[in-house]
Amino acid sequence: MKELVSLDWLQSGKSIPPRSQLERIKKYQDNRKLFYGDHSEVFREQLNRIKPFLDESVVSDTYPVVFNYNRLITLKTVDLICGEPPEITATNGKGQETLDEIMKTISLNKIIMDVSRMGDSVVRVFKGQDGKNKTALVKPDMWYPVIDDDTGDIIYHVIVGILHDDKGRPEKLRVQIHSKGRYEQREYAYKGECVGGELSREIYRTGLSDFAIVHFPNVTTSDSMFGVDDYTPIDSIMSELMVRVVQVNRILDKHAAPSMQGPDTALQYNDKSKNYEVKAGNYFINDLDDGKVEYLTWDGNINAAFTMIEKLLEQLYIISEMGGALLGAEGSAGQASSGTALRLRMINPLVKAKRISRIVEPCLKHLISLVSEVGYRRIKEDDISIDWFDGLPDD
């Protein structure tokens, strides 16, 4: 996805979000739906693939079976990183009390949650009513970084929110353009998903030495500054897994009530229902010359389907880096007799958690230092030490 290199997209008549950011914004919105279990919206094409084969009386816009591994992956990632809170200390022997107070204003678990499910977590620093800095998370789909096309450095953080009228209709755009030490707040008219005329403009000083916006990414590449989320790599596996399970359910439901076969002489006419019926509880003499009464038996031969489901789950554990032990796979419970044994079975999840911790650490130090600049005793990034734990029991 292409980054923004200027503020030209805020001119009247320009589309909002900018076209270059539509893919990124849609990813955030889809991943939010997956986290909350609304898989039918994200995997609509896969659901349409099986709808013709389902009973019309039970077909709806939701999957009959939803495996929300997405939310489980995010929660387990947060547990591994924040379940046992990191030890954050002031290395110069001063400011520990201030540092502890600042950490009470930072929701580290929510930051890690967005890093996992969105790929990006965005935190804003602002001055509270008590004169001290506070922090608040910003939805990543409201955040538009503008970079220098030559160096790749961020020159503006732009936060865009939509204001609604009394009837809930979108009416205005509220835009904050953050630069170092200040931000400019503008309001624009909002017309049919386009930027309208500018209505107001005001400048605020933050008292900070840097941007009041701190970006926490997941894994990044040379192609983009935006982080790679945990959901996109497993989307195809998740959709196929749920389709397979629904198809197996359909087959089993169809043959849950077996039909009967037999000769015409086994039928009796029911005057009330006006239909020929078989009284299954009665005894029929088996010397009927044209066959016997019996239930139809069926062999679905769906072992291949179950094998496919097992293979999909295996790939889900591998690609998500979470493993069956952490996600509660069958046969994984009760096998680890010590903390060491558990760690050996969870090498991949622990490596993943350590990788995210290593990426997040400098961002967290920078955030703590920024918050300390207003209303607190100043703490430098170099004076902060963070020790991360895995939350697993020790031997």
Side-chain angles (χ1 to χ4, degrees):
M1 58 192 74
K2 188 178 179 181
E3 280 87 355
L4 301 168
V5 296
S6 71
L7 295 175
D8 292 345
W9 54 280
L10 288 174
Q11 295 177 0
S12 179
K14 296 287 187 178
S15 62
I16 191 77
R19 296 188 184 279
S20 64
Q21 303 299 298
L22 288 176
E23 180 183 349
R24 176 176 69 93
I25 301 303
K26 185 178 186 302
K27 181 195 75 171
Y28 295 148
Q29 295 171 347
D30 285 349
N31 287 2
R32 187 177 292 113
K33 292 175 183 177
L34 291 173
F35 180 83
Y36 289 112
D38 194 4
H39 290 61
S40 59
E41 283 293 319
V42 182
F43 301 146
R44 184 170 295 277
E45 291 184 7
Q46 289 81 358
L47 180 60
N48 289 337
R49 165 183 158 193
I50 61 173
K51 269 189 175 183
F53 305 104
L54 298 176
D55 186 349
E56 293 183 0
S57 63
V58 298
V59 169
S60 65
D61 288 334
T62 59
Y63 272 103
V65 178
V66 172
F67 294 137
N68 202 341
Y69 285 107
N70 305 85
R71 178 164 59 192
L72 185 59
I73 287 170
T74 292
L75 294 180
K76 292 299 184 181
T77 300
V78 174
D79 288 343
L80 288 175
I81 297 175
C82 303
E84 187 176 356
E87 185 177 327
I88 305 176
T89 56
T91 57
N92 61 1
K94 301 178 181 179
Q96 186 62 47
E97 184 177 345
T98 298
L99 197 154
D100 293 340
E101 185 179 354
I102 290 174
M103 283 306 302
K104 293 178 181 179
T105 73
I106 298 175
S107 299
L108 182 58
N109 59 333
K110 292 182 180 180
I111 291 173
I112 300 299
M113 193 172 294
D114 274 1
V115 167
S116 171
R117 64 178 186 160
M118 304 293 188
D120 300 288
S121 185
V122 182
V123 182
R124 181 190 171 205
V125 180
F126 65 96
K127 184 187 293 185
Q129 294 182 350
D130 59 358
K132 295 182 177 181
N133 270 341
K134 311 291 182 185
T135 66
L137 267 72
V138 178
K139 292 181 178 179
D141 36 340
M142 297 173 60
W143 169 66
Y144 299 88
V146 179
I147 68 169
D148 186 306
D149 201 18
D150 294 325
T151 64
D153 297 330
I154 294 178
I155 52 179
Y156 300 108
H157 289 276
V158 183
I159 309 297
V160 179
I162 300 176
L163 303 179
H164 297 78
D165 60 19
D166 296 337
K167 296 183 178 179
R169 294 173 299 192
E171 182 182 30
K172 299 177 183 178
L173 292 175
R174 175 169 291 172
V175 179
Q176 289 183 354
I177 304 174
H178 287 261
S179 52
K180 294 183 178 181
R182 52 174 266 176
Y183 70 91
E184 187 177 304
Q185 183 160 294
R186 303 179 187 177
E187 284 193 358
Y188 294 88
Y190 184 59
K191 298 181 178 179
E193 300 185 352
C194 291
V195 179
E198 184 176 329
L199 303 175
S200 64
R201 180 182 298 202
E202 194 167 356
I203 294 177
Y204 297 89
R205 302 287 177 179
T206 63
L208 302 176
S209 60
D210 205 344
F211 297 102
I213 302 295
V214 179
H215 173 217
F216 289 75
N218 203 322
V219 175
T220 56
T221 66
S222 60
D223 302 319
S224 175
M225 62 165 292
F226 301 110
V228 178
D229 64 282
D230 288 345
Y231 294 178
T232 301
I234 64 170
D235 276 351
S236 60
I237 297 176
M238 286 296 306
S239 61
E240 185 65 23
L241 178 62
M242 289 191 290
V243 165
R244 289 292 173 184
V245 171
V246 170
Q247 288 173 329
V248 170
N249 281 352
R250 166 184 162 267
I251 294 172
L252 296 177
D253 287 344
K254 185 175 182 180
H255 297 277
S259 301
M260 299 183 71
Q261 67 177 354
D264 293 342
T265 52
L267 297 175
Q268 294 182 2
Y269 186 75
N270 189 322
D271 293 330
K272 292 183 179 180
S273 66
K274 307 298 182 183
N275 291 315
Y276 285 94
E277 299 175 353
V278 175
K279 292 187 177 180
N282 290 353
Y283 174 75
F284 293 95
I285 299 174
N286 61 8
D287 60 355
L288 299 173
D289 57 2
D290 54 348
K292 62 181 180 178
V293 178
E294 61 183 358
Y295 281 104
L296 285 168
T297 59
W298 166 83
D299 181 8
N301 194 23
I302 56 176
N303 290 333
F306 288 120
T307 301
M308 182 62 179
I309 290 173
E310 291 176 1
K311 294 297 182 182
L312 289 171
L313 286 172
E314 180 182 336
Q315 292 303 311
L316 174 66
Y317 300 149
I318 294 173
I319 295 176
S320 68
E321 299 182 80
M322 302 308 283
L326 188 60
L327 296 182
E330 181 181 357
S332 63
Q335 292 187 8
S337 57
S338 67
T340 301
L342 185 58
R343 283 179 175 82
L344 290 174
R345 300 186 66 232
M346 294 177 58
I347 289 178
N348 285 341
L350 292 174
V351 169
K352 176 182 178 180
K354 185 175 181 180
R355 179 173 64 241
I356 294 177
S357 301
R358 188 168 58 248
I359 296 172
V360 164
E361 182 171 324
C363 303
L364 180 57
K365 289 181 178 180
H366 182 58
L367 178 61
I368 294 171
S369 181
L370 275 179
V371 174
S372 74
E373 290 185 0
V374 177
Y376 299 95
R377 178 176 181 171
R378 181 76 166 87
I379 301 176
K380 296 181 180 180
E381 294 181 42
D382 294 339
D383 294 333
I384 302 172
S385 175
I386 304 178
D387 291 323
W388 302 90
F389 306 103
D390 54 28
L392 299 179
D394 297 323
D395 287 339

